[in-house]
Amino acid sequence: MQELVRMRETLAPQEILLVADAATGQEAVNIVEHFDKALNITGIVLTKLDGDARGGAALRCEAVTGKPIRFAGVGENSMTWSRSMPNGWQANPRNG
């Protein structure tokens, strides 16, 4: 994590997106929260949201960090990425 913090300080990126696996449930929330505290992420990319009962992780990740879900993986290839609404996941629960 310290190496990522040093990279952020050196590169000064405009955007820091964290990619997390929604299938991990609550652990995805913990990961997102941990990375946000260390790096001040600007958004979240959640994968595997096409499975059953994955929306809870999405809503919780957004609520805990206050950071939007920018993209959601809802299938098995690059054509199935869905871009979230500017107001975030809660404003667009179907995300499609």
Side-chain angles (χ1 to χ4, degrees), residues 1-81:
M1 186 64 71
Q2 292 173 349
E3 186 175 349
L4 290 174
V5 171
R6 285 193 305 272
M7 286 177 63
R8 182 199 66 206
E9 292 168 352
T10 301
L11 300 173
Q14 294 179 2
E15 192 86 63
I16 300 175
L17 299 177
L18 175 67
V19 179
D21 183 344
T24 61
Q26 180 59 40
E27 189 57 28
V29 177
N30 296 336
I31 291 167
V32 169
E33 189 173 27
H34 181 75
F35 272 80
D36 186 42
K37 285 180 183 175
L39 300 170
N40 192 26
I41 63 174
T42 56
I44 304 162
V45 177
L46 278 178
T47 64
K48 300 182 184 173
L49 276 168
D50 55 329
D52 56 338
R54 305 292 183 232
L59 293 173
R60 187 83 178 119
C61 285
E62 204 170 59
V64 165
T65 63
K67 307 298 170 63
I69 294 172
R70 298 288 175 89
F71 294 94
V74 292
E76 295 185 9
N77 62 49
S78 62
M79 300 304 291
T80 59
W81 283 98

